[in-house]
Amino acid sequence: MNSKIKIFTIATISFAASVFTIGTVTAQTKLTSQSKVTINGIGAVKVGMTISQAAKAAGTKLVSDAPNQYCYYVKPQQEPKNIAFMVTGNRISRIDVKNPQVTTLKGAKIGDTEARIKSLYPGQIKVTSHKYDFKGHYLTLIPKDRADRNYRVVFETDGKRVTRFRSGKLPEVEFVEGCS
């Protein structure tokens, strides 16, 4: 009789652990201001996804003000604010971040100094002049991993601090004027 109780107890613990794991995975897939930007996405939304795949991964509807067939942006209908996804060829090609709460995996964010970005990614930052702000720069993260060679993260600065950033695939991630 004791062995039946032990088996039942083990089964209950195993079941409870499985439920907890499923709940944790579900909670992490919804796009929030705490979702982390990577070289090829944000949270569960990845470059290369269709809009419907990205919306499902984000856990929210993605809307556009003016879609066209070549290049346009979609954004989460509600939260997080100040995040936009560039769409080219009917797929997500880049993520634009203007939300100061959103960070990269290493913690880079809007408001960081140029020195901090360089320290977070030693030997991987290419600095170029900003096209419109004569004091500003583009700090472009060039990945070391060969598998990521077609992706970048571009931090725009005012010459001192990050004002916005974007991640995605080449060549779209380097389009200074977005879809314009």
Side-chain angles (χ1 to χ4, degrees):
M1 186 164 182
N2 281 344
S3 65
K4 287 183 184 178
I5 293 172
K6 286 181 184 176
I7 292 171
F8 177 77
T9 303
I10 291 170
T12 303
I13 291 169
S14 176
F15 176 74
S18 295
V19 171
F20 178 75
T21 302
I22 291 168
T24 302
V25 171
T26 302
Q28 291 174 346
T29 60
K30 182 159 176 56
L31 191 63
T32 71
S33 293
Q34 279 64 54
S35 298
K36 302 299 180 196
V37 175
T38 64
I39 201 146
N40 66 348
I42 180 171
V45 179
K46 301 299 178 203
V47 169
M49 288 181 163
T50 64
I51 296 169
S52 63
Q53 289 169 332
K56 185 175 181 181
T60 186
K61 186 175 181 181
L62 299 176
V63 296
S64 175
D65 295 332
N68 69 48
Q69 65 185 36
Y70 301 109
C71 182
Y72 59 96
Y73 281 91
V74 294
K75 59 186 178 181
Q77 187 172 31
Q78 309 242 325
E79 293 292 329
K81 299 288 185 201
N82 299 313
I83 301 288
F85 299 97
M86 180 187 277
V87 179
T88 56
N90 295 315
R91 297 198 175 265
I92 304 296
S93 55
R94 99 179 195 189
I95 298 89
D96 288 45
V97 179
K98 295 180 190 174
N99 184 323
Q101 294 178 305
V102 175
T103 70
T104 66
L105 284 174
K106 291 201 174 195
K109 64 186 180 308
I110 293 171
D112 281 349
T113 63
E114 289 188 359
R116 181 162 193 273
I117 299 301
K118 292 174 188 174
S119 73
L120 288 172
Y121 304 100
Q124 292 182 269
I125 298 294
K126 176 183 170 188
V127 180
T128 54
S129 296
H130 197 287
K131 185 173 180 177
Y132 296 108
D133 182 347
F134 71 94
K135 293 180 186 176
H137 299 108
Y138 299 109
L139 305 181
T140 304
L141 169 62
I142 300 172
K144 290 180 181 178
D145 190 340
R146 195 153 161 68
D148 294 329
R149 71 179 173 269
N150 293 322
Y151 299 97
R152 302 285 187 271
V153 178
V154 179
F155 300 92
E156 288 191 41
T157 77
D158 59 8
K160 295 179 183 177
R161 297 191 175 274
V162 175
T163 58
R164 63 176 66 190
F165 66 99
R166 58 189 180 266
S167 74
K169 71 181 190 78
L170 292 170
E172 292 91 334
V173 72
E174 292 184 334
F175 291 172
V176 173
E177 296 167 350
C179 288
S180 298

